[in-house]
Amino acid sequence: IAVNCAAIPDTLIESELFGHEKGAFTGAASKRAGLIEAAEGGTLFLDEVAEVPLSAQALLLRFLEDGLVTRAAGGLQRVANVRVIAATNRDLRQLVGDGRFRADLYYRLAVIPLRVPPLREMPTLIDHLINRFLQTINQRRQAPVLVSRRMRDTLADYSYPGNIRELRNFAENAVVLRRGGKWSEFDLEPKFRGETPPPPVMMTATPTNP
């Protein structure tokens, strides 16, 4: 079960993860199991874990330490057999130093840390990813696009500040705009070809006297 922690409001994340009993808050018309209980016997993927508020971090730490789940407004504790994988694109150690992420939770999560390199450090994968993205998008839009060799070289040399989402955006853009045919480096902005874009044209108008 995958959870995008950044997409859940701070006021609801406790209920989403741990569940709640009837009447726990306005609108809680019945009891509801949380995502941790739903992942029983499997894996819970906490994406963007750095966005979990401090109040919920304490509950998450207790669950990781003891396997106990307490629903909001409920005294019943449940033991959950769940493997937890957490991911973030932020520096958790820096957030710990800033007091925005609990140190004890950080060390409890970082049992087996895995660093996924940014796309700019894996240029040999770009060609494969472009093929995969175009194949997936073409199946939906039925607009096959061929990629020139120079285009592939141009994409491999780019730094991708937006990481893999930016590369997918390029592929989606090519399919939508080209609607079939060949995708070349001339379809990209001048900066990708090492060219300096022209300065903006300044337009002035002279007021006309009445």
Side-chain angles (χ1 to χ4, degrees):
I1 292 182
V3 185
N4 184 352
C5 300
I8 304 175
D10 291 356
T11 54
L12 295 179
I13 194 165
E14 179 182 344
S15 173
E16 287 293 314
L17 291 177
F18 298 92
H20 60 258
E21 296 295 331
K22 181 178 180 180
F25 51 85
T26 303
S30 61
K31 66 179 180 179
R32 177 178 177 273
L35 295 173
I36 292 177
E37 288 184 68
E40 176 71 27
T43 300
L44 179 71
F45 174 45
L46 298 174
D47 197 12
E48 304 291 356
V49 71
E51 308 307 320
V52 175
L54 287 170
S55 58
Q57 288 180 27
L59 295 173
L60 185 58
L61 175 65
R62 185 185 185 194
F63 160 65
L64 293 173
E65 289 285 352
D66 304 323
L68 298 176
V69 176
T70 304
R71 292 179 180 175
L76 183 60
Q77 295 178 334
R78 309 171 190 275
V79 178
N81 175 27
V82 178
R83 175 177 59 183
V84 174
I85 299 175
T88 180
N89 62 356
R90 305 178 68 182
D91 187 342
L92 286 184
R93 281 179 288 191
Q94 180 64 48
L95 294 180
V96 169
D98 295 341
R100 298 166 61 189
F101 199 86
R102 294 180 60 114
D104 45 8
L105 178 58
Y106 167 74
Y107 289 112
R108 191 64 186 84
L109 287 171
V111 176
I112 305 177
L114 300 173
R115 177 181 178 270
V116 180
L119 192 56
R120 63 180 176 272
E121 296 181 14
M122 301 184 292
T124 56
L125 288 181
I126 292 175
D127 211 38
H128 166 74
L129 290 171
I130 279 291
N131 292 337
R132 180 66 179 271
F133 289 154
L134 287 177
Q135 180 184 24
T136 302
I137 298 168
N138 284 335
Q139 288 176 350
R140 186 173 73 250
R141 295 186 176 270
Q142 297 297 312
V145 172
L146 301 176
V147 187
S148 70
R149 183 67 262 171
R150 289 190 62 182
M151 179 60 166
R152 293 180 185 275
D153 293 340
T154 300
L155 292 172
D157 291 338
Y158 183 56
S159 60
Y160 294 99
N163 214 13
I164 196 168
R165 290 184 178 92
E166 187 172 11
L167 180 61
R168 182 181 178 88
N169 177 268
F170 291 159
E172 186 95 34
N173 180 270
V175 174
V176 171
L177 296 183
R178 297 299 299 178
R179 296 184 180 276
K182 179 171 287 189
W183 187 27
S184 73
E185 68 276 13
F186 299 104
D187 295 314
L188 294 174
E189 297 177 27
K191 65 179 180 180
F192 294 99
R193 303 191 296 274
E195 302 174 7
T196 302
V201 177
M202 302 300 294
M203 304 294 290
T204 59
T206 303
T208 302
N209 292 328

